[in-house]
Coordinates of all heavy atoms in Angstrom, one line a residue:
M11 N 57.8 56.1 150.2 CA 58.4 55.1 150.9 C 59.8 55.5 151.2 O 60.5 56.0 150.4 CB 58.4 53.8 150.0 CG 59.2 52.7 150.6 SD 59.6 51.2 149.6 CE 58.4 51.1 148.4
S12 N 60.2 55.2 152.5 CA 61.6 55.5 152.8 C 62.4 54.1 152.9 O 61.8 53.1 153.2 CB 61.7 56.2 154.1 OG 61.3 55.4 155.2
L13 N 63.6 54.2 152.6 CA 64.5 53.0 152.6 C 65.6 53.2 153.6 O 66.3 54.2 153.5 CB 65.0 52.8 151.2 CG 65.5 51.5 150.8 CD1 64.5 50.4 150.9 CD2 66.0 51.5 149.3
R14 N 65.7 52.3 154.6 CA 66.8 52.4 155.6 C 67.7 51.2 155.4 O 67.3 50.1 155.6 CB 66.1 52.4 157.0 CG 67.1 52.6 158.1 CD 66.4 52.6 159.4 NE 65.6 51.5 159.7 CZ 65.9 50.4 160.4 NH1 67.1 50.3 160.9 NH2 65.1 49.4 160.6
P15 N 69.0 51.5 155.2 CA 69.9 50.4 155.0 C 70.3 49.7 156.4 O 70.3 50.4 157.4 CB 71.2 51.0 154.4 CG 71.1 52.4 154.8 CD 69.6 52.8 154.9
L16 N 70.6 48.5 156.4 CA 71.0 47.7 157.6 C 72.5 47.5 157.6 O 73.1 47.5 156.6 CB 70.3 46.4 157.6 CG 68.8 46.4 157.6 CD1 68.2 45.0 157.5 CD2 68.2 47.1 158.8
H17 N 73.0 47.4 158.8 CA 74.4 47.1 159.1 C 75.3 48.1 158.4 O 75.2 49.3 158.5 CB 74.7 45.6 158.8 CG 73.8 44.7 159.4 ND1 73.7 44.5 160.8 CD2 72.8 43.9 158.9 CE1 72.8 43.6 161.1 NE2 72.2 43.2 160.0
D18 N 76.3 47.5 157.6 CA 77.3 48.4 156.9 C 76.9 48.7 155.5 O 77.7 49.0 154.7 CB 78.7 47.8 157.0 CG 78.8 46.5 156.2 OD1 77.8 45.8 156.0 OD2 79.9 46.2 155.8
R19 N 75.6 48.7 155.2 CA 75.2 48.9 153.8 C 75.0 50.4 153.6 O 74.6 51.2 154.5 CB 73.9 48.2 153.5 CG 74.2 46.7 153.3 CD 73.0 45.9 152.9 NE 73.3 44.5 152.6 CZ 73.4 43.6 153.5 NH1 73.2 43.9 154.8 NH2 73.7 42.4 153.2
V20 N 75.2 50.9 152.4 CA 75.0 52.3 152.0 C 74.1 52.3 150.7 O 74.3 51.5 149.8 CB 76.4 52.9 151.7 CG1 76.3 54.3 151.2 CG2 77.4 52.7 152.9
I21 N 73.2 53.3 150.7 CA 72.4 53.5 149.5 C 72.9 54.8 148.8 O 73.1 55.8 149.4 CB 70.9 53.7 149.9 CG1 70.4 52.5 150.7 CG2 70.1 54.0 148.7 CD1 69.0 52.6 151.2
V22 N 73.2 54.6 147.5 CA 73.7 55.7 146.7 C 72.9 55.9 145.5 O 72.2 55.0 145.0 CB 75.2 55.4 146.3 CG1 76.1 55.3 147.6 CG2 75.4 54.2 145.4
K23 N 73.0 57.1 144.9 CA 72.4 57.5 143.6 C 73.6 57.8 142.7 O 74.4 58.7 143.0 CB 71.5 58.7 143.8 CG 70.8 59.1 142.5 CD 69.8 60.2 142.8 CE 70.5 61.4 143.1 NZ 69.6 62.6 143.2
R24 N 73.6 57.1 141.6 CA 74.7 57.3 140.6 C 74.6 58.7 140.0 O 73.4 59.2 139.7 CB 74.7 56.3 139.4 CG 75.1 54.9 139.9 CD 75.2 54.0 138.7 NE 75.4 52.6 139.0 CZ 76.5 52.1 139.1 NH1 77.6 52.7 138.9 NH2 76.6 50.8 139.5
L25 N 75.7 59.5 139.9 CA 75.6 60.8 139.3 C 75.8 60.7 137.8 O 76.5 59.8 137.3 CB 76.8 61.6 139.9 CG 76.7 61.9 141.4 CD1 77.9 62.6 141.9 CD2 75.4 62.6 141.8
E26 N 75.1 61.6 137.1 CA 75.1 61.5 135.6 C 76.5 61.9 135.1 O 77.2 62.8 135.6 CB 74.1 62.5 135.1 CG 72.7 62.1 135.3 CD 72.3 60.9 134.6 OE1 72.7 60.7 133.4 OE2 71.6 60.0 135.2
E27 N 77.0 61.1 134.1 CA 78.2 61.4 133.5 C 78.0 62.3 132.3 O 76.9 62.5 131.8 CB 78.8 60.1 132.9 CG 79.3 59.1 134.0 CD 80.6 59.5 134.7 OE1 81.5 60.1 134.0 OE2 80.7 59.3 135.9
E28 N 79.1 62.9 131.8 CA 79.0 63.8 130.7 C 78.6 63.0 129.5 O 79.1 62.0 129.2 CB 80.4 64.5 130.5 CG 80.4 65.5 129.4 CD 79.6 66.7 129.7 OE1 79.6 67.2 130.9 OE2 79.0 67.3 128.8
K29 N 77.6 63.6 128.7 CA 77.1 62.9 127.5 C 77.9 63.2 126.3 O 77.6 62.8 125.2 CB 75.6 63.3 127.3 CG 74.7 63.0 128.4 CD 74.2 61.6 128.3 CE 73.2 61.4 129.4 NZ 72.8 60.1 129.6
K30 N 79.0 64.0 126.4 CA 79.8 64.4 125.3 C 81.2 64.0 125.6 O 81.7 64.2 126.7 CB 79.7 65.9 125.1 CG 79.7 66.4 123.7 CD 79.7 67.9 123.7 CE 78.3 68.4 123.3 NZ 78.2 69.8 123.0
S31 N 81.9 63.5 124.6 CA 83.3 63.2 124.7 C 84.2 64.4 124.7 O 83.7 65.5 124.3 CB 83.8 62.2 123.7 OG 83.9 62.8 122.4
L32 N 85.5 64.3 125.0 CA 86.3 65.5 125.0 C 86.4 66.1 123.6 O 86.6 67.3 123.4 CB 87.7 65.1 125.4 CG 87.8 64.8 126.9 CD1 89.2 64.3 127.3 CD2 87.4 65.9 127.8
G33 N 86.3 65.3 122.5 CA 86.3 65.7 121.2 C 85.0 66.3 120.7 O 85.0 66.7 119.5
G34 N 84.0 66.3 121.5 CA 82.7 66.9 121.1 C 81.7 65.9 120.6 O 80.6 66.3 120.1
I35 N 82.0 64.6 120.6 CA 81.1 63.6 120.1 C 80.1 63.3 121.1 O 80.4 63.1 122.3 CB 81.9 62.3 119.7 CG1 82.9 62.7 118.6 CG2 80.9 61.2 119.3 CD1 83.8 61.5 118.3
I36 N 78.8 63.3 120.8 CA 77.7 63.0 121.7 C 77.6 61.5 121.8 O 77.5 60.8 120.8 CB 76.4 63.6 121.3 CG1 76.6 65.2 121.3 CG2 75.3 63.2 122.2 CD1 75.4 65.9 120.7
I37 N 77.6 61.0 123.1 CA 77.6 59.6 123.3 C 76.1 59.2 123.6 O 75.5 59.7 124.6 CB 78.4 59.2 124.5 CG1 79.9 59.6 124.3 CG2 78.4 57.7 124.8 CD1 80.8 59.6 125.5
P38 N 75.5 58.3 122.8 CA 74.1 57.9 123.1 C 74.0 57.0 124.4 O 75.0 56.4 124.8 CB 73.8 57.0 121.9 CG 75.1 56.6 121.3 CD 76.1 57.6 121.7
D39 N 72.9 57.0 125.0 CA 72.6 56.3 126.2 C 73.0 54.8 126.1 O 73.4 54.2 127.0 CB 71.2 56.4 126.7 CG 70.9 57.8 127.2 OD1 71.9 58.5 127.6 OD2 69.7 58.2 127.2
S40 N 72.7 54.2 124.9 CA 72.9 52.8 124.7 C 74.4 52.5 124.7 O 74.8 51.3 125.0 CB 72.3 52.4 123.4 OG 72.9 53.1 122.3
A41 N 75.3 53.4 124.4 CA 76.7 53.2 124.4 C 77.4 53.7 125.6 O 78.6 53.4 125.9 CB 77.4 53.8 123.2
A42 N 76.7 54.4 126.5 CA 77.4 55.0 127.7 C 77.5 53.9 128.7 O 76.7 53.0 128.9 CB 76.5 56.1 128.2
E43 N 78.6 54.1 129.5 CA 78.9 53.2 130.6 C 78.2 53.7 131.8 O 77.9 54.8 131.9 CB 80.4 53.0 130.8 CG 81.1 52.3 129.7 CD 82.6 52.1 130.0 OE1 83.0 52.4 131.1 OE2 83.3 51.6 129.1
K44 N 78.1 52.8 132.8 CA 77.5 53.2 134.1 C 78.4 54.2 134.8 O 79.6 54.0 134.8 CB 77.3 52.0 135.0 CG 76.3 51.0 134.6 CD 76.2 49.9 135.6 CE 75.2 48.9 135.2 NZ 75.1 47.8 136.1
P45 N 77.9 55.2 135.4 CA 78.7 56.2 136.0 C 79.4 55.6 137.3 O 78.8 54.8 137.9 CB 77.8 57.3 136.5 CG 76.4 57.0 135.9 CD 76.5 55.6 135.3
L46 N 80.6 56.0 137.5 CA 81.3 55.5 138.7 C 81.2 56.4 139.9 O 81.4 56.0 141.0 CB 82.8 55.3 138.4 CG 83.1 54.4 137.2 CD1 84.6 54.4 136.9 CD2 82.6 53.0 137.5
K47 N 80.8 57.7 139.7 CA 80.6 58.6 140.8 C 79.2 58.4 141.3 O 78.2 58.3 140.5 CB 80.8 60.0 140.3 CG 82.1 60.6 140.4 CD 82.0 62.1 140.0 CE 83.2 62.9 140.4 NZ 83.1 64.3 140.0
A48 N 79.0 58.5 142.6 CA 77.7 58.4 143.2 C 77.6 59.3 144.4 O 78.6 59.6 145.1 CB 77.4 57.0 143.6
E49 N 76.4 59.7 144.8 CA 76.1 60.4 146.0 C 75.5 59.6 147.0 O 74.5 58.8 146.7 CB 75.2 61.6 145.7 CG 74.9 62.5 146.9 CD 73.9 63.6 146.6 OE1 73.6 63.8 145.4 OE2 73.5 64.3 147.5
V50 N 76.0 59.6 148.3 CA 75.4 58.8 149.4 C 74.1 59.4 149.8 O 73.9 60.6 150.1 CB 76.4 58.8 150.6 CG1 75.8 58.0 151.7 CG2 77.7 58.2 150.2
V51 N 73.0 58.5 149.7 CA 71.7 58.9 150.1 C 71.3 58.5 151.5 O 70.6 59.2 152.2 CB 70.7 58.3 149.1 CG1 69.2 58.6 149.4 CG2 71.0 58.8 147.7
A52 N 71.8 57.3 151.9 CA 71.5 56.8 153.3 C 72.6 55.9 153.7 O 73.2 55.2 152.9 CB 70.1 56.1 153.3
V53 N 72.8 55.8 155.0 CA 73.9 55.0 155.6 C 73.3 54.2 156.7 O 72.6 54.7 157.6 CB 75.0 55.9 156.1 CG1 76.1 55.1 156.7 CG2 75.6 56.8 155.0
G54 N 73.7 52.9 156.8 CA 73.3 52.0 157.9 C 74.1 52.4 159.1 O 75.1 53.2 159.1
P55 N 73.8 51.8 160.3 CA 74.4 52.1 161.5 C 75.9 51.6 161.6 O 76.7 52.2 162.3 CB 73.6 51.4 162.6 CG 72.8 50.4 161.9 CD 72.7 50.9 160.5
G56 N 76.2 50.6 160.9 CA 77.6 50.1 160.9 C 77.6 48.6 161.1 O 76.6 47.9 161.4
K57 N 78.8 48.0 161.0 CA 78.9 46.5 161.1 C 79.1 46.2 162.5 O 79.9 46.8 163.3 CB 80.2 46.1 160.3 CG 80.3 44.7 160.0 CD 81.4 44.4 159.0 CE 81.2 43.0 158.4 NZ 82.1 42.8 157.3
R58 N 78.5 45.1 162.9 CA 78.6 44.6 164.3 C 79.7 43.6 164.3 O 79.8 42.6 163.6 CB 77.3 44.0 164.8 CG 77.3 43.6 166.2 CD 75.9 43.2 166.7 NE 74.9 44.2 166.5 CZ 74.6 45.2 167.3 NH1 75.3 45.3 168.4 NH2 73.6 46.0 167.1
S59 N 80.7 43.8 165.3 CA 81.8 42.8 165.4 C 81.4 41.6 166.2 O 80.3 41.6 166.8 CB 83.0 43.5 166.0 OG 82.7 44.0 167.3
D60 N 82.3 40.7 166.3 CA 82.0 39.4 167.1 C 81.8 39.7 168.6 O 81.0 39.0 169.2 CB 83.2 38.5 166.9 CG 83.3 37.9 165.5 OD1 82.3 37.9 164.8 OD2 84.4 37.5 165.1
D61 N 82.4 40.8 169.1 CA 82.1 41.1 170.5 C 80.9 42.0 170.8 O 80.6 42.4 171.9 CB 83.4 41.8 171.1 CG 83.8 43.1 170.5 OD1 83.1 43.5 169.5 OD2 84.7 43.7 170.9
G62 N 80.1 42.3 169.7 CA 78.9 43.0 169.8 C 79.0 44.5 169.6 O 77.9 45.2 169.7
K63 N 80.2 45.0 169.4 CA 80.3 46.5 169.2 C 80.0 46.8 167.8 O 80.3 46.1 166.9 CB 81.7 46.9 169.6 CG 82.1 46.8 171.0 CD 83.5 47.3 171.3 CE 83.8 47.1 172.7 NZ 85.2 47.4 173.0
V64 N 79.4 48.0 167.6 CA 79.0 48.5 166.3 C 80.1 49.4 165.8 O 80.5 50.4 166.5 CB 77.7 49.2 166.3 CG1 77.4 49.8 164.9 CG2 76.6 48.2 166.7
H65 N 80.7 49.1 164.6 CA 81.7 50.0 164.0 C 81.1 50.9 163.0 O 80.6 50.3 162.0 CB 82.9 49.2 163.4 CG 83.6 48.3 164.5 ND1 84.5 48.9 165.3 CD2 83.5 47.0 164.8 CE1 85.0 47.9 166.1 NE2 84.3 46.8 165.8
A66 N 81.0 52.2 163.2 CA 80.3 53.1 162.3 C 80.9 53.1 160.9 O 82.1 52.8 160.7 CB 80.4 54.5 162.9
V67 N 80.1 53.4 160.0 CA 80.5 53.5 158.5 C 81.3 54.8 158.4 O 80.9 55.8 159.0 CB 79.2 53.5 157.6 CG1 79.6 53.6 156.2 CG2 78.4 52.2 157.9
D68 N 82.3 54.8 157.5 CA 83.2 56.0 157.3 C 82.6 57.1 156.4 O 83.1 58.1 156.4 CB 84.5 55.5 156.7 CG 85.4 54.8 157.7 OD1 85.2 55.1 158.9 OD2 86.2 54.0 157.3
V69 N 81.5 56.8 155.7 CA 80.9 57.8 154.8 C 79.6 58.3 155.5 O 79.0 57.7 156.4 CB 80.6 57.3 153.4 CG1 81.9 56.9 152.7 CG2 79.6 56.1 153.5
K70 N 79.2 59.5 155.0 CA 77.9 60.1 155.5 C 77.1 60.6 154.4 O 77.5 60.7 153.2 CB 78.3 61.3 156.5 CG 79.0 62.4 155.9 CD 79.4 63.4 156.9 CE 80.2 64.6 156.4 NZ 81.3 64.3 155.5
V71 N 75.8 60.8 154.7 CA 74.9 61.3 153.7 C 75.4 62.6 153.0 O 75.9 63.5 153.7 CB 73.5 61.5 154.3 CG1 72.5 62.1 153.3 CG2 72.9 60.2 154.8
G72 N 75.4 62.6 151.7 CA 75.8 63.8 151.0 C 77.2 63.6 150.4 O 77.6 64.4 149.5
D73 N 78.0 62.7 150.9 CA 79.4 62.4 150.4 C 79.3 62.0 148.9 O 78.4 61.3 148.5 CB 80.1 61.4 151.2 CG 80.7 61.9 152.5 OD1 80.6 63.1 152.7 OD2 81.1 61.0 153.3
T74 N 80.3 62.4 148.1 CA 80.4 61.9 146.7 C 81.5 60.8 146.8 O 82.6 61.1 147.3 CB 80.9 63.1 145.8 OG1 79.9 64.1 145.9 CG2 80.9 62.6 144.4
I75 N 81.2 59.7 146.3 CA 82.1 58.5 146.3 C 82.3 57.9 145.0 O 81.7 58.3 144.0 CB 81.5 57.4 147.3 CG1 80.2 56.9 146.8 CG2 81.4 57.9 148.7 CD1 79.6 55.7 147.5
L76 N 83.3 57.0 144.9 CA 83.6 56.3 143.7 C 83.3 54.8 144.0 O 83.8 54.3 145.0 CB 85.1 56.5 143.4 CG 85.7 55.9 142.1 CD1 85.1 56.7 140.9 CD2 87.2 56.0 142.1
I77 N 82.5 54.2 143.1 CA 82.1 52.8 143.2 C 82.5 52.1 141.9 O 82.7 52.7 140.9 CB 80.6 52.6 143.5 CG1 79.8 53.2 142.4 CG2 80.3 53.3 144.8 CD1 78.3 52.9 142.6
G78 N 82.6 50.8 142.0 CA 82.9 49.9 140.8 C 81.7 49.9 139.9 O 80.5 50.1 140.3
K79 N 81.9 49.6 138.6 CA 80.8 49.5 137.6 C 79.7 48.5 138.0 O 78.6 48.8 137.8 CB 81.4 49.1 136.3 CG 82.2 50.1 135.6 CD 82.6 49.6 134.2 CE 83.7 50.5 133.6 NZ 84.1 50.0 132.3
Y80 N 80.1 47.4 138.5 CA 79.2 46.3 138.8 C 78.9 46.1 140.3 O 78.5 45.1 140.7 CB 79.6 45.1 138.1 CG 79.9 45.3 136.7 CD1 81.2 45.3 136.2 CD2 78.8 45.5 135.8 CE1 81.4 45.5 134.8 CE2 79.1 45.7 134.4 CZ 80.4 45.7 133.9 OH 80.6 45.9 132.6
S81 N 79.3 47.1 141.1 CA 79.1 47.0 142.6 C 77.6 47.1 143.0 O 76.9 47.9 142.4 CB 79.9 48.1 143.3 OG 81.2 48.0 143.1
G82 N 77.3 46.4 144.0 CA 76.0 46.6 144.6 C 74.8 46.0 143.9 O 74.9 45.3 142.8
T83 N 73.6 46.3 144.4 CA 72.4 45.8 143.8 C 71.5 47.0 143.4 O 71.3 47.9 144.2 CB 71.6 45.0 144.9 OG1 72.4 43.9 145.3 CG2 70.3 44.5 144.3
E84 N 71.1 47.1 142.2 CA 70.3 48.2 141.7 C 68.9 48.0 142.0 O 68.3 46.9 141.8 CB 70.5 48.4 140.2 CG 72.0 48.7 139.8 CD 72.2 48.9 138.3 OE1 71.2 48.8 137.6 OE2 73.3 49.2 138.0
V85 N 68.2 49.1 142.6 CA 66.8 49.0 142.9 C 66.2 50.3 142.4 O 66.9 51.3 142.2 CB 66.6 48.8 144.4 CG1 67.1 47.5 144.9 CG2 67.2 50.0 145.2
K86 N 64.9 50.3 142.2 CA 64.1 51.5 141.9 C 63.1 51.8 143.0 O 62.3 50.9 143.2 CB 63.4 51.3 140.5 CG 62.9 52.5 139.9 CD 62.5 52.3 138.5 CE 62.6 53.6 137.8 NZ 62.9 53.5 136.4
V87 N 63.2 52.9 143.6 CA 62.3 53.3 144.7 C 61.8 54.7 144.4 O 62.5 55.6 144.2 CB 63.1 53.3 146.0 CG1 62.2 53.8 147.2 CG2 63.7 52.0 146.3
D88 N 60.4 54.8 144.3 CA 59.8 56.0 144.1 C 60.3 56.7 142.8 O 60.5 57.9 142.7 CB 59.9 57.0 145.2 CG 59.2 56.5 146.5 OD1 58.2 55.7 146.3 OD2 59.5 57.0 147.6
G89 N 60.6 55.9 141.8 CA 61.0 56.4 140.5 C 62.5 56.7 140.4 O 63.0 57.2 139.4
Q90 N 63.2 56.6 141.5 CA 64.7 56.8 141.5 C 65.4 55.5 141.4 O 65.1 54.6 142.0 CB 65.1 57.5 142.8 CG 64.8 59.0 142.9 CD 65.5 59.6 144.1 OE1 65.7 58.9 145.1 NE2 65.9 60.8 144.0
D91 N 66.5 55.6 140.5 CA 67.4 54.4 140.4 C 68.5 54.6 141.5 O 69.2 55.5 141.5 CB 68.0 54.4 139.0 CG 67.0 54.1 138.0 OD1 66.1 53.3 138.2 OD2 67.1 54.6 136.9
L92 N 68.5 53.6 142.4 CA 69.4 53.6 143.5 C 70.3 52.3 143.5 O 69.9 51.4 142.9 CB 68.7 53.7 144.9 CG 67.8 54.9 145.0 CD1 67.0 54.8 146.3 CD2 68.6 56.2 145.1
V93 N 71.4 52.4 144.2 CA 72.3 51.2 144.3 C 72.5 51.0 145.8 O 72.8 51.9 146.6 CB 73.6 51.4 143.6 CG1 74.5 50.2 143.8 CG2 73.4 51.7 142.2
I94 N 72.3 49.7 146.3 CA 72.6 49.4 147.7 C 73.9 48.6 147.6 O 74.0 47.6 146.9 CB 71.4 48.5 148.3 CG1 70.1 49.3 148.2 CG2 71.8 48.1 149.7 CD1 68.9 48.5 148.7
L95 N 74.8 49.0 148.4 CA 76.1 48.3 148.5 C 76.7 48.3 149.9 O 76.3 49.0 150.7 CB 77.1 48.9 147.5 CG 77.3 50.4 147.5 CD1 78.5 50.8 148.3 CD2 77.5 50.9 146.0
R96 N 77.7 47.4 150.1 CA 78.4 47.4 151.4 C 79.5 48.4 151.4 O 79.9 48.8 150.3 CB 79.0 46.0 151.6 CG 77.9 44.9 151.8 CD 78.6 43.6 152.3 NE 77.7 42.6 152.6 CZ 77.1 42.5 153.8 NH1 77.4 43.4 154.8 NH2 76.2 41.6 154.1
E97 N 79.8 48.8 152.6 CA 80.9 49.8 152.7 C 82.2 49.3 152.0 O 82.9 50.1 151.5 CB 81.2 50.1 154.2 CG 82.2 51.1 154.4 CD 82.5 51.3 155.9 OE1 82.3 50.5 156.7 OE2 83.1 52.4 156.2
D98 N 82.4 48.0 152.0 CA 83.6 47.5 151.4 C 83.7 47.7 149.9 O 84.7 47.7 149.3 CB 83.7 46.0 151.7 CG 83.9 45.6 153.1 OD1 84.3 46.5 153.9 OD2 83.7 44.5 153.5
D99 N 82.5 47.9 149.3 CA 82.5 48.1 147.8 C 82.8 49.6 147.4 O 82.9 49.9 146.2 CB 81.1 47.8 147.3 CG 80.8 46.3 147.4 OD1 81.8 45.5 147.4 OD2 79.6 45.9 147.5
I100 N 82.9 50.5 148.4 CA 83.3 51.9 148.1 C 84.8 51.9 147.9 O 85.5 51.5 148.7 CB 82.8 52.8 149.3 CG1 81.3 52.7 149.4 CG2 83.3 54.2 149.0 CD1 80.8 53.5 150.6
L101 N 85.1 52.5 146.7 CA 86.6 52.6 146.4 C 87.2 53.8 146.9 O 88.4 53.8 147.4 CB 86.7 52.6 144.9 CG 86.1 51.4 144.1 CD1 86.2 51.5 142.6 CD2 86.7 50.1 144.6
A102 N 86.6 54.9 147.0 CA 87.2 56.2 147.4 C 86.1 57.2 147.7 O 84.9 57.1 147.3 CB 88.1 56.8 146.4
V103 N 86.4 58.2 148.5 CA 85.5 59.3 148.8 C 86.2 60.6 148.3 O 87.4 60.8 148.5 CB 85.3 59.5 150.3 CG1 84.4 60.7 150.6 CG2 84.7 58.2 150.9
F104 N 85.5 61.4 147.5 CA 86.0 62.6 146.9 C 86.0 63.7 148.1 O 85.1 63.8 148.8 CB 85.1 63.2 145.8 CG 85.2 62.4 144.5 CD1 84.3 61.3 144.2 CD2 86.3 62.6 143.6 CE1 84.4 60.6 143.1 CE2 86.4 61.9 142.5 CZ 85.5 60.9 142.2
S105 N 87.2 64.4 148.2 CA 87.3 65.4 149.2 C 86.7 66.7 148.7 O 86.7 66.9 147.5 CB 88.7 65.6 149.6 OG 89.5 65.9 148.5
K106 N 86.2 67.5 149.5 CA 85.5 68.7 149.1 C 86.4 69.9 149.2 O 87.4 70.0 149.8 CB 84.3 69.0 150.0 CG 83.3 67.9 149.8 CD 82.0 68.1 150.7 CE 81.1 67.0 150.4 NZ 79.9 67.1 151.1

């Protein structure tokens, strides 16, 4: 199944965080926080303004972004955990 976001929505996959602390302590999954880094999987066409023009989304597929812990809606598609969020929920884009 393919998933296509509408308007200014973006579909991302959270990137795995390090399972070990700086001091070498292994963090169990039950105590780990949700990762804030994510990879953009799909992007909608953009937000439509009142005059009917479409303003393109600033991120593209493959970008690594920073999102809030509780941003977006979590969904599971074809066994993958994904997050659907609006462009406004993206905090930053990592430069390459």
Side-chain angles (χ1 to χ4, degrees):
M11 173 193 331
S12 71
L13 197 59
R14 182 177 56 95
L16 300 176
H17 308 293
D18 67 333
R19 288 185 174 83
V20 178
I21 300 175
V22 300
K23 179 172 71 172
R24 290 187 189 267
L25 298 176
E26 291 295 318
E27 292 284 326
E28 185 65 37
K29 300 275 186 192
K30 215 182 258 190
S31 71
L32 292 175
I35 299 171
I36 297 175
I37 302 169
D39 288 338
S40 60
E43 293 186 6
K44 291 181 182 179
L46 301 178
K47 268 185 163 180
E49 179 183 354
V50 177
V51 175
V53 179
K57 194 172 198 171
R58 189 172 299 276
S59 63
D60 292 335
D61 61 359
K63 293 182 183 175
V64 175
H65 298 280
V67 179
D68 286 336
V69 295
K70 61 187 179 307
V71 174
D73 281 350
T74 302
I75 60 171
L76 187 67
I77 61 175
K79 285 183 192 177
Y80 306 107
S81 296
T83 303
E84 295 181 359
V85 295
K86 191 168 210 154
V87 177
D88 294 336
Q90 280 191 328
D91 292 323
L92 302 172
V93 180
I94 302 174
L95 49 97
R96 290 190 175 273
E97 182 183 22
D98 294 342
D99 293 334
I100 297 172
L101 304 175
V103 178
F104 287 95
S105 59
K106 295 180 181 182

